């Protein structure tokens, strides 16, 4: 008999480890336009009991924490431009049809694509109606994504998000039509979706509950799956390394201030990335009051820019200023791996 593949996990590291074993043993080899892949023939359901433990530390996976975090901010801002996000991932521009905008950017689908901002509507329903069942955020647009006359390089892999408030906690279920296990499901997706969950929970004055991900087609490309060979289970890393999660959106939460600082951060860093003078631009950061920017986004960006300039000493100095344990450790180890390669 066939059935859904179900995994109840603590965090993303455990999910990656368990699904990797499953897909290696039970995955079926298929040919795709992106090369050979192994895929599970049935839908896959993953439950994260601690979704805020979203940062990966596996050296074999070598996840880019800067890109994952910055992409989350870009989404919350409702952006779809190539220019800003490509500062943190040069390869992402290949998925744009015109090199300027993305067809299926999640944040834009959340906040602008349908002619209105869906997030305030979801928050209103969660705050107003007990046990509401219509707090749904959609990314899939049948007109844009199913039309035979409209071909694009990227379509939403995550299609809908359901929110549910119960016992003072916000649970979230994400539906996904097709997911690359390594780069998508347990890479970028879990970071930006769990940050969205934490953001909406803060807006609703709720704690973060469970995060459930339902994937209709879970797969892994053989070339990237091979890079995980020799990986050991490290899904207790938050506990064993005494890593504490620092809330990104502490309550009470001031969304007006957050949106103002988010807009200013994106505008300032974009200008700097285009060649703006740091002494004239970074002084603006002194006025930021939200800890997310002061102790995470700003030093992370400055670390990234120094790494791009190949000034490892300065990159490590800025990395020291990143205060949340998980992001600091992930960035430090990411830099160390590149520094070790450089000195070989």
């Amino acid at each position: 008999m066939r059935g859904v593949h179900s995994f109840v996990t603590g965090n993303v590291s455990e999910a990656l480890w368990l699904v990797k074993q499953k897909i290696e043993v039970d995955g079926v080899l298929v040919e795709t336009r992106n090369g050979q892949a192994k895929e599970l023939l049935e839908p896959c359901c993953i439950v994260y009991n601690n979704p805020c433990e979203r940062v990966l530390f596996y050296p074999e996976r070598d996840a880019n924490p800067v890109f994952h975090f910055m992409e989350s901010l870009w989404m919350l801002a409702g952006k779809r431009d190539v220019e800003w996000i490509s500062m943190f991932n040069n390869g992402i521009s290949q998925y744009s049809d015109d090199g300027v905008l993305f067809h299926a950017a999640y944040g834009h689908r959340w906040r602008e694509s349908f002619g209105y901002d869906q997030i305030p509507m979801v928050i209103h329903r969660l705050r107003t109606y007990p046990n509401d069942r219509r707090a749904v955020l959609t990314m899939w647009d049948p007109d844009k994504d199913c039309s035979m006359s409209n071909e694009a390089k990227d379509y939403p892999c995550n299609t809908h998000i359901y929110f549910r408030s119960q016992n003072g906690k916000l649970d979230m279920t994400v539906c996904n039509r097709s997911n690359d296990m390594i780069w998508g499901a347990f890479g970028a997706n879990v970071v930006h979706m769990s940050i969205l969950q934490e953001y909406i929970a803060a807006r609703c004055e709720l704690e973060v509950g469970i995060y459930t991900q339902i994937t209709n087609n879970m797969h892994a490309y053989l070339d990237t799956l091979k890079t995980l060979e020799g990986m050991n289970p490290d899904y207790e890393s938050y506990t064993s390394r005494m890593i504490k999660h620092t809330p990104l959106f502490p309550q009470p939460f001031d969304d007006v201030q957050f949106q103002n600082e988010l807009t200013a951060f994106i505008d300032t860093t974009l200008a700097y990335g285009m060649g703006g003078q740091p002494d004239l631009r970074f002084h603006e950061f002194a006025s930021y009051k939200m800890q997310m920017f002061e102790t995470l986004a700003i030093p992370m960006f400055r670390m990234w820019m120094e790494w791009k300039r190949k000034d490892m000493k300065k990159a490590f100095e800025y990395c020291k200023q990143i205060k949340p344990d998980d992001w600091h450790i992930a960035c430090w180890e990411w830099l160390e791996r590149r520094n070790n390669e450089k000195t070989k």
Side-chain angles (χ1 to χ4, degrees):
M1 295 179 64
R2 298 173 65 188
V4 173
H5 301 283
S6 181
F7 304 87
V8 178
T9 72
N11 57 33
V12 62
S13 297
E14 184 176 10
L16 174 59
W17 172 257
L18 293 175
V19 179
K20 171 183 176 293
Q21 313 310 309
K22 185 67 174 179
I23 211 164
E24 286 178 336
V25 173
D26 295 336
V28 175
L29 190 64
V30 296
E31 295 287 344
T32 77
R33 59 190 176 87
N34 295 317
Q36 289 189 316
K38 276 194 168 186
E39 67 178 34
L40 297 176
L41 294 181
E42 298 82 18
C44 183
C45 178
I46 301 108
V47 176
Y48 301 95
N49 276 283
N50 301 306
C52 291
E53 294 184 3
R54 57 177 66 97
V55 182
L56 284 171
F57 302 101
Y58 292 113
E60 296 85 1
R61 172 58 180 86
D62 193 30
N64 181 343
V66 179
F67 171 60
H68 288 170
F69 177 72
M70 294 299 178
E71 186 180 30
S72 301
L73 294 184
W74 181 74
M75 289 181 182
L76 287 179
K79 298 291 186 180
R80 63 186 296 219
D81 64 295
V82 172
E83 190 173 34
W84 190 80
I85 195 60
S86 63
M87 287 197 295
F88 312 103
N89 183 345
N90 290 330
I92 199 171
S93 60
Q94 67 181 300
Y95 299 106
S96 168
D97 297 303
D98 59 7
V100 179
L101 301 173
F102 291 102
H103 171 76
Y106 293 141
H108 187 260
R109 294 286 175 106
W110 297 338
R111 313 210 79 144
E112 292 188 33
S113 183
F114 296 94
Y116 50 86
D117 190 342
Q118 297 183 74
I119 291 180
M121 297 176 68
V122 166
I123 293 169
H124 170 74
R125 296 202 65 85
L126 290 168
R127 292 180 67 98
T128 306
Y129 307 107
N131 196 32
D132 186 66
R133 300 169 185 172
R134 286 193 280 154
V136 180
L137 198 59
T138 185
M139 289 85 82
W140 187 262
D141 185 331
D143 182 57
K144 295 178 180 177
D145 302 325
C146 289
S147 171
M148 296 298 293
S149 61
N150 184 22
E151 290 297 319
K153 290 183 178 179
D154 75 307
Y155 293 97
C157 293
N158 297 280
T159 60
H160 299 83
I161 307 175
Y162 309 130
F163 296 94
R164 182 180 182 186
S165 171
Q166 53 183 347
N167 301 319
K169 295 185 177 182
L170 180 69
D171 293 341
M172 179 181 74
T173 299
V174 178
C175 294
N176 183 287
R177 62 178 180 83
S178 177
N179 220 338
D180 178 338
M181 178 191 81
I182 298 169
W183 299 109
F186 310 123
N189 290 172
V190 72
V191 176
H192 54 238
M193 291 301 177
S194 66
I195 287 179
L196 173 69
Q197 180 183 12
E198 188 178 349
Y199 169 73
I200 292 182
R203 294 282 307 274
C204 294
E205 299 179 320
L206 297 168
E207 295 180 30
V208 175
I210 63 170
Y211 161 21
T212 303
Q213 176 186 328
I214 302 172
T215 299
N216 192 52
N217 182 302
M218 181 72 79
H219 57 269
Y221 295 101
L222 295 190
D223 55 350
T224 51
L225 187 61
K226 188 176 181 180
T227 65
L228 301 186
E229 289 181 357
M231 189 176 83
N232 294 313
D234 186 32
Y235 49 79
E236 294 295 336
S237 55
Y238 271 80
T239 300
S240 63
R241 300 170 74 170
M242 294 183 290
I243 299 171
K244 295 181 180 179
H245 165 68
T246 301
L248 297 179
F249 309 97
Q251 300 184 33
F253 179 67
D254 186 341
D255 188 57
V256 172
Q257 183 173 333
F258 170 71
Q259 294 298 335
N260 289 338
E261 294 189 8
L262 176 58
T263 299
F265 176 77
I266 290 177
D267 290 345
T268 301
T269 51
L270 179 59
Y272 181 70
M274 294 173 64
Q277 297 181 39
D279 292 341
L280 298 178
R281 301 237 174 236
F282 283 156
H283 77 280
E284 299 174 12
F285 289 154
S287 64
Y288 284 52
K289 300 187 182 303
M290 302 205 74
Q291 289 295 305
M292 178 197 292
F293 294 103
E294 183 181 358
T295 66
L296 178 52
I298 292 169
M300 180 185 278
F301 175 79
R302 301 187 79 166
M303 179 206 87
W304 178 260
M305 296 307 294
E306 295 302 338
W307 172 75
K308 289 183 73 173
R309 293 191 183 89
K310 302 182 180 180
D311 190 332
M312 297 301 291
K313 182 178 180 181
K314 283 188 177 180
F316 278 112
E317 285 300 315
Y318 284 123
C319 187
K320 289 178 183 178
Q321 298 176 18
I322 299 173
K323 297 302 181 184
D325 289 347
D326 44 8
W327 293 105
H328 166 74
I329 292 170
C331 287
W332 188 273
E333 294 180 352
W334 187 88
L335 284 174
E336 281 188 326
R337 288 192 289 272
R338 276 138 191 85
N339 198 43
N340 292 338
E341 286 294 322
K342 182 180 177 181
T343 56
K344 281 184 180 179

